[in-house]
Amino acid sequence: MRGNVLDMAVGVVVGSAFTAIVTSIVENLLTPIIALIMGTMDFSSITVGPFGIGAVINAIITFLITAFVVFWIVRVVNKLDKKPEEEAPAPAGPTQEELLIEIRDLLKAQQADKPQE
């Protein structure tokens, strides 16, 4: 149980640090690129009445990028963690001749057990 709690604690710490990195990438790299296309640098200034729609757009972009990166990290880790399955040879069964010999021997034994008429 302690190992799982420790793993989760490490995951939370690394996740928060990773979120800070992704947030910085979005704010400092991707938002300026989008600003070149759309003409606005920061979406947080976009408002509809009292609602700050731009901040929500920033959060959605950050979330999508974080989810995309985490998806690929998990996918790569799963591929690396997967051990190649060793194909064990199928157990060799008796050959057709061995089966026929066994049947013959069983029939002989049955014949020997029957009283002579």
Side-chain angles (χ1 to χ4, degrees), residues 50-103:
F51 304 108
I53 302 296
V56 175
I57 293 172
N58 283 341
I60 290 172
I61 291 171
T62 303
F63 169 76
L64 291 175
I65 293 170
T66 305
F68 179 76
V69 172
V70 169
F71 169 77
W72 282 105
I73 288 173
V74 169
R75 190 168 180 182
V76 168
V77 168
N78 283 341
K79 277 190 177 181
L80 294 176
D81 192 36
K82 206 180 261 189
K83 296 176 183 142
E85 295 180 21
E86 297 177 15
E87 290 186 24
T95 64
Q96 188 175 5
E97 290 176 354
E98 292 171 339
L99 289 173
L100 289 172
I101 291 170
E102 187 177 339
I103 292 170

Side-chain angles (χ1 to χ4, degrees), residues 100-112:
L100 289 172
I101 291 170
E102 187 177 339
I103 292 170
R104 181 197 65 197
D105 293 343
L106 287 171
L107 288 173
K108 280 184 182 179
Q110 283 180 348
Q111 292 291 333

